[in-house]
Amino acid sequence: EPEVTQTPSHQVTQMGQEVILRCVPISNHLYFYWYRQILGQKVEFLVSFYNNEISEKSEIFDDQFSVERPDGSNFTLKIRSTKLEDSAMYFCASSTGTRGYEQYFGPGTRLTVT
Amino acid sequence: GESVGLHLPTLSVQEGDNSIINCAYSNSASDYFIWYKQESGKGPQFIIDIRSNMDKRQGQRVTVLLNKTVKHLSLQIAATQPGDSAVYFCAETSNTDKLIFGTGTRLQVFP
């Protein structure tokens, strides 16, 4: 069964450093998403992406964040200058349709900012 | 595990019994709902979805019920198994890409 994959599974970085989280969505999916889950809290939407541009973003997704689909398979989330409060699990998701339709999630990348 | 933040309600059931997990949603304009299962250290796993023009949908061992009048969603799991132990989230959306997740319910299955 096809699945969303994410790398790395765990990333430790120092405050102020840039990180790139990588995702390979399911191959026939056209819509891509990033969510995050701070330890013990709800899963929160960050951004959706379609046709090489951002479709929607939340208030969390400020200028420190960016997304990119650098090739036909990868989808990345970049945090330019990490803060302690960016520590969370970051989940990539993909779907064949828009408007929330059947979003399938990857296993997540645990980001720890020290 | 989670030591800070949300207090998750817990449902404990015996293996083989049926489980019912409930979710109250807030936006009366929400028109699409999904139930996700999240095991420790893993991402949310899609279980079943329902659109607002339906009030019931069945999958394999799972049934989702939607009551729009009281903004309530439930997930019924038949013949609960140890592998069903996880945190279950409902998520809603209103004609947007953004899924809004609920707080979750922890399901514990004991033999």
Side-chain angles (χ1 to χ4, degrees):
Chain A
E1 184 175 323
E3 56 185 20
V4 177
T5 59
Q6 292 185 243
T7 54
S9 57
H10 191 190
Q11 174 87 48
V12 181
T13 189
Q14 288 189 325
M15 197 166 51
Q17 296 295 304
E18 174 184 286
V19 294
I20 298 176
L21 309 183
R22 291 183 165 79
C23 167
V24 179
I26 294 172
S27 61
N28 65 332
H29 287 189
L30 299 176
Y31 300 84
F32 314 115
Y33 314 87
W34 284 100
Y35 289 78
R36 78 172 186 190
Q37 185 177 31
I38 295 171
L39 188 64
Q41 299 190 20
K42 296 182 187 183
V43 176
E44 302 173 287
F45 172 84
L46 292 177
V47 66
S48 61
F49 189 87
Y50 169 71
N51 200 27
N52 279 322
E53 59 183 32
I54 291 173
S55 307
E56 283 185 62
K57 59 182 181 179
S58 72
E59 60 278 3
I60 302 168
F61 194 88
D62 61 21
D63 292 343
Q64 292 296 317
F65 292 88
S66 62
V67 290
E68 191 179 27
R69 187 151 164 85
D71 53 42
S73 59
N74 290 282
F75 179 52
T76 62
L77 174 69
K78 181 192 291 186
I79 309 175
R80 287 192 184 81
S81 177
T82 50
K83 308 183 193 68
L84 293 175
E85 54 265 35
D86 293 328
S87 295
M89 281 291 285
Y90 286 82
F91 295 108
C92 174
S94 68
S95 67
T96 57
T98 185
R99 298 297 180 250
Y101 180 70
E102 285 195 33
Q103 293 182 21
Y104 289 87
F105 284 70
T109 292
R110 180 171 296 284
L111 177 65
T112 302
V113 183
T114 61
Chain B
E2 297 88 7
S3 60
V4 295
L6 296 172
H7 168 68
L8 291 180
T10 299
L11 175 67
S12 296
V13 299
Q14 191 163 24
E15 183 178 356
D17 285 353
N18 297 334
S19 302
I20 300 176
I21 300 170
N22 297 304
C23 176
Y25 64 93
S26 55
N27 186 357
S28 56
S30 290
D31 58 4
Y32 178 66
F33 305 87
I34 306 178
W35 278 102
Y36 284 95
K37 171 186 180 184
Q38 187 176 28
E39 296 172 279
S40 182
K42 296 185 178 180
Q45 176 188 352
F46 178 96
I47 301 174
I48 191 167
D49 60 355
I50 188 168
R51 295 203 174 274
S52 58
N53 61 352
M54 303 173 70
D55 52 22
K56 180 178 179 179
R57 189 156 188 237
Q58 287 185 291
Q60 188 177 12
R61 272 201 316 120
V62 294
T63 301
V64 55
L65 299 177
L66 174 62
N67 185 330
K68 293 181 289 294
T69 303
V70 295
K71 293 187 287 188
H72 184 267
L73 197 65
S74 68
L75 177 71
Q76 300 177 2
I77 304 174
T80 314
Q81 302 167 1
D84 295 327
S85 294
V87 177
Y88 289 80
F89 293 95
C90 65
E92 61 181 294
T93 185
S94 169
N95 201 33
T96 75
D97 294 337
K98 173 182 177 180
L99 287 178
I100 299 172
F101 281 76
T103 56
T105 296
R106 186 180 305 281
L107 176 65
Q108 293 179 332
V109 183
F110 58 92

PDB file of all heavy atoms in Angstrom, chain B residues 96-110:
ATOM      1  N   THR B  96     -12.350  23.992   2.956  1.00  0.00           N
ATOM      2  CA  THR B  96     -10.960  24.451   2.878  1.00  0.00           C
ATOM      3  C   THR B  96     -10.037  23.230   2.934  1.00  0.00           C
ATOM      4  O   THR B  96     -10.490  22.123   3.195  1.00  0.00           O
ATOM      5  CB  THR B  96     -10.564  25.388   4.030  1.00  0.00           C
ATOM      6  OG1 THR B  96     -10.383  24.614   5.226  1.00  0.00           O
ATOM      7  CG2 THR B  96     -11.611  26.446   4.271  1.00  0.00           C
ATOM      8  N   ASP B  97      -8.745  23.469   2.699  1.00  0.00           N
ATOM      9  CA  ASP B  97      -7.763  22.387   2.813  1.00  0.00           C
ATOM     10  C   ASP B  97      -7.419  22.086   4.259  1.00  0.00           C
ATOM     11  O   ASP B  97      -6.865  21.044   4.565  1.00  0.00           O
ATOM     12  CB  ASP B  97      -6.466  22.782   2.097  1.00  0.00           C
ATOM     13  CG  ASP B  97      -6.647  22.917   0.601  1.00  0.00           C
ATOM     14  OD1 ASP B  97      -7.592  22.324   0.056  1.00  0.00           O
ATOM     15  OD2 ASP B  97      -5.832  23.618  -0.021  1.00  0.00           O
ATOM     16  N   LYS B  98      -7.717  23.031   5.128  1.00  0.00           N
ATOM     17  CA  LYS B  98      -7.249  22.960   6.500  1.00  0.00           C
ATOM     18  C   LYS B  98      -8.126  22.026   7.320  1.00  0.00           C
ATOM     19  O   LYS B  98      -9.312  22.298   7.523  1.00  0.00           O
ATOM     20  CB  LYS B  98      -7.297  24.369   7.088  1.00  0.00           C
ATOM     21  CG  LYS B  98      -6.997  24.471   8.559  1.00  0.00           C
ATOM     22  CD  LYS B  98      -7.136  25.923   8.994  1.00  0.00           C
ATOM     23  CE  LYS B  98      -6.924  26.093  10.480  1.00  0.00           C
ATOM     24  NZ  LYS B  98      -7.066  27.504  10.882  1.00  0.00           N
ATOM     25  N   LEU B  99      -7.555  20.933   7.776  1.00  0.00           N
ATOM     26  CA  LEU B  99      -8.254  20.060   8.701  1.00  0.00           C
ATOM     27  C   LEU B  99      -8.070  20.598  10.110  1.00  0.00           C
ATOM     28  O   LEU B  99      -6.955  20.925  10.514  1.00  0.00           O
ATOM     29  CB  LEU B  99      -7.710  18.640   8.634  1.00  0.00           C
ATOM     30  CG  LEU B  99      -8.052  17.798   7.415  1.00  0.00           C
ATOM     31  CD1 LEU B  99      -7.378  16.448   7.508  1.00  0.00           C
ATOM     32  CD2 LEU B  99      -9.556  17.626   7.283  1.00  0.00           C
ATOM     33  N   ILE B 100      -9.160  20.675  10.845  1.00  0.00           N
ATOM     34  CA  ILE B 100      -9.108  21.085  12.246  1.00  0.00           C
ATOM     35  C   ILE B 100      -9.310  19.841  13.087  1.00  0.00           C
ATOM     36  O   ILE B 100     -10.353  19.174  12.993  1.00  0.00           O
ATOM     37  CB  ILE B 100     -10.182  22.132  12.561  1.00  0.00           C
ATOM     38  CG1 ILE B 100      -9.948  23.373  11.707  1.00  0.00           C
ATOM     39  CG2 ILE B 100     -10.171  22.493  14.044  1.00  0.00           C
ATOM     40  CD1 ILE B 100     -11.051  24.395  11.805  1.00  0.00           C
ATOM     41  N   PHE B 101      -8.296  19.533  13.869  1.00  0.00           N
ATOM     42  CA  PHE B 101      -8.320  18.312  14.659  1.00  0.00           C
ATOM     43  C   PHE B 101      -8.920  18.555  16.028  1.00  0.00           C
ATOM     44  O   PHE B 101      -8.712  19.602  16.639  1.00  0.00           O
ATOM     45  CB  PHE B 101      -6.901  17.755  14.825  1.00  0.00           C
ATOM     46  CG  PHE B 101      -6.401  17.009  13.632  1.00  0.00           C
ATOM     47  CD1 PHE B 101      -5.971  17.673  12.497  1.00  0.00           C
ATOM     48  CD2 PHE B 101      -6.365  15.625  13.638  1.00  0.00           C
ATOM     49  CE1 PHE B 101      -5.517  16.977  11.388  1.00  0.00           C
ATOM     50  CE2 PHE B 101      -5.909  14.908  12.538  1.00  0.00           C
ATOM     51  CZ  PHE B 101      -5.484  15.588  11.410  1.00  0.00           C
ATOM     52  N   GLY B 102      -9.618  17.547  16.528  1.00  0.00           N
ATOM     53  CA  GLY B 102     -10.104  17.574  17.894  1.00  0.00           C
ATOM     54  C   GLY B 102      -8.995  17.186  18.854  1.00  0.00           C
ATOM     55  O   GLY B 102      -7.851  16.926  18.458  1.00  0.00           O
ATOM     56  N   THR B 103      -9.360  17.114  20.137  1.00  0.00           N
ATOM     57  CA  THR B 103      -8.355  16.856  21.169  1.00  0.00           C
ATOM     58  C   THR B 103      -7.961  15.392  21.248  1.00  0.00           C
ATOM     59  O   THR B 103      -6.903  15.067  21.753  1.00  0.00           O
ATOM     60  CB  THR B 103      -8.871  17.292  22.543  1.00  0.00           C
ATOM     61  OG1 THR B 103     -10.106  16.633  22.800  1.00  0.00           O
ATOM     62  CG2 THR B 103      -9.080  18.786  22.594  1.00  0.00           C
ATOM     63  N   GLY B 104      -8.798  14.507  20.773  1.00  0.00           N
ATOM     64  CA  GLY B 104      -8.447  13.091  20.778  1.00  0.00           C
ATOM     65  C   GLY B 104      -8.994  12.333  21.967  1.00  0.00           C
ATOM     66  O   GLY B 104      -9.258  12.903  23.031  1.00  0.00           O
ATOM     67  N   THR B 105      -9.177  11.049  21.763  1.00  0.00           N
ATOM     68  CA  THR B 105      -9.591  10.117  22.819  1.00  0.00           C
ATOM     69  C   THR B 105      -8.653   8.933  22.782  1.00  0.00           C
ATOM     70  O   THR B 105      -8.402   8.369  21.722  1.00  0.00           O
ATOM     71  CB  THR B 105     -11.038   9.632  22.594  1.00  0.00           C
ATOM     72  OG1 THR B 105     -11.933  10.738  22.683  1.00  0.00           O
ATOM     73  CG2 THR B 105     -11.420   8.576  23.634  1.00  0.00           C
ATOM     74  N   ARG B 106      -8.168   8.569  23.961  1.00  0.00           N
ATOM     75  CA  ARG B 106      -7.277   7.404  24.023  1.00  0.00           C
ATOM     76  C   ARG B 106      -8.123   6.153  24.234  1.00  0.00           C
ATOM     77  O   ARG B 106      -8.928   6.077  25.165  1.00  0.00           O
ATOM     78  CB  ARG B 106      -6.281   7.543  25.171  1.00  0.00           C
ATOM     79  CG  ARG B 106      -5.229   6.446  25.198  1.00  0.00           C
ATOM     80  CD  ARG B 106      -4.268   6.618  26.362  1.00  0.00           C
ATOM     81  NE  ARG B 106      -3.637   7.928  26.395  1.00  0.00           N
ATOM     82  CZ  ARG B 106      -2.614   8.286  25.644  1.00  0.00           C
ATOM     83  NH1 ARG B 106      -2.091   7.424  24.803  1.00  0.00           N
ATOM     84  NH2 ARG B 106      -2.093   9.503  25.753  1.00  0.00           N
ATOM     85  N   LEU B 107      -7.964   5.196  23.358  1.00  0.00           N
ATOM     86  CA  LEU B 107      -8.672   3.911  23.479  1.00  0.00           C
ATOM     87  C   LEU B 107      -7.689   2.875  24.005  1.00  0.00           C
ATOM     88  O   LEU B 107      -6.628   2.665  23.422  1.00  0.00           O
ATOM     89  CB  LEU B 107      -9.231   3.472  22.122  1.00  0.00           C
ATOM     90  CG  LEU B 107      -9.904   2.103  22.080  1.00  0.00           C
ATOM     91  CD1 LEU B 107     -11.166   2.097  22.946  1.00  0.00           C
ATOM     92  CD2 LEU B 107     -10.243   1.695  20.644  1.00  0.00           C
ATOM     93  N   GLN B 108      -8.060   2.272  25.128  1.00  0.00           N
ATOM     94  CA  GLN B 108      -7.241   1.199  25.699  1.00  0.00           C
ATOM     95  C   GLN B 108      -8.051  -0.089  25.651  1.00  0.00           C
ATOM     96  O   GLN B 108      -9.192  -0.123  26.110  1.00  0.00           O
ATOM     97  CB  GLN B 108      -6.873   1.522  27.150  1.00  0.00           C
ATOM     98  CG  GLN B 108      -5.949   2.715  27.287  1.00  0.00           C
ATOM     99  CD  GLN B 108      -5.606   3.029  28.732  1.00  0.00           C
ATOM    100  OE1 GLN B 108      -6.388   2.744  29.632  1.00  0.00           O
ATOM    101  NE2 GLN B 108      -4.451   3.634  28.952  1.00  0.00           N
ATOM    102  N   VAL B 109      -7.470  -1.101  25.078  1.00  0.00           N
ATOM    103  CA  VAL B 109      -8.145  -2.388  24.964  1.00  0.00           C
ATOM    104  C   VAL B 109      -7.436  -3.376  25.882  1.00  0.00           C
ATOM    105  O   VAL B 109      -6.226  -3.570  25.774  1.00  0.00           O
ATOM    106  CB  VAL B 109      -8.119  -2.903  23.508  1.00  0.00           C
ATOM    107  CG1 VAL B 109      -8.889  -4.224  23.399  1.00  0.00           C
ATOM    108  CG2 VAL B 109      -8.686  -1.851  22.568  1.00  0.00           C
ATOM    109  N   PHE B 110      -8.190  -3.971  26.764  1.00  0.00           N
ATOM    110  CA  PHE B 110      -7.574  -4.941  27.677  1.00  0.00           C
ATOM    111  C   PHE B 110      -8.181  -6.325  27.444  1.00  0.00           C
ATOM    112  O   PHE B 110      -9.322  -6.449  27.017  1.00  0.00           O
ATOM    113  CB  PHE B 110      -7.701  -4.469  29.127  1.00  0.00           C
ATOM    114  CG  PHE B 110      -9.112  -4.242  29.583  1.00  0.00           C
ATOM    115  CD1 PHE B 110      -9.832  -5.254  30.209  1.00  0.00           C
ATOM    116  CD2 PHE B 110      -9.728  -3.012  29.407  1.00  0.00           C
ATOM    117  CE1 PHE B 110     -11.135  -5.037  30.634  1.00  0.00           C
ATOM    118  CE2 PHE B 110     -11.023  -2.785  29.827  1.00  0.00           C
ATOM    119  CZ  PHE B 110     -11.733  -3.813  30.447  1.00  0.00           C
TER     120      PHE B 110
END
